[in-house]
Amino acid sequence: YTDSLVFFEDERFTLRSTAALRIYSYLDGWERHLQLLSVVPRPLRDALYNFITKYRYKCFGRREQCIVPTAELRERFLSE
């Protein structure tokens, strides 16, 4: 799975939908509640994850360059 999301946490890693749900658990907005989807069996979650990753650019478009975050958005980034 070279084109997959990988999340490292406490010397462990998770992949695909499980990684996304772990990331959502750290957010403060409504997205945090998406972690409740972890009760859905992983094969079903991963199938939905794969479907979304396959069609995300058709649905949301693709940019030629990354956005430059505003000061307000920059506050949401983790830094050391």
Side-chain angles (χ1 to χ4, degrees):
Y1 298 103
T2 58
D3 291 338
S4 185
L5 177 62
V6 179
F7 180 65
F8 290 93
E9 177 183 42
D10 299 327
E11 297 184 19
R12 296 178 47 212
F13 69 92
T14 54
L15 302 172
R16 293 179 296 284
S17 65
T18 306
L21 294 176
R22 292 299 307 139
I23 292 168
Y24 290 142
S25 74
Y26 285 95
L27 300 178
D28 292 331
W30 64 268
E31 299 93 346
R32 181 181 189 96
H33 301 293
L34 291 174
Q35 69 181 330
L36 298 173
L37 293 173
S38 62
V39 299
V40 175
R42 187 172 45 88
L44 185 58
R45 283 192 336 253
D46 283 346
L48 179 60
Y49 173 87
N50 292 334
F51 178 82
I52 291 170
T53 59
K54 183 175 181 179
Y55 294 105
R56 70 181 180 258
Y57 292 129
K58 287 182 181 180
C59 295
F60 303 110
R62 187 175 190 145
R63 297 178 184 229
E64 292 298 319
Q65 61 189 33
C66 296
I67 63 168
V68 177
T70 63
E72 180 180 308
L73 185 57
R74 202 173 311 124
E75 291 177 7
R76 297 183 68 187
F77 284 82
L78 300 175
S79 62
E80 292 185 40

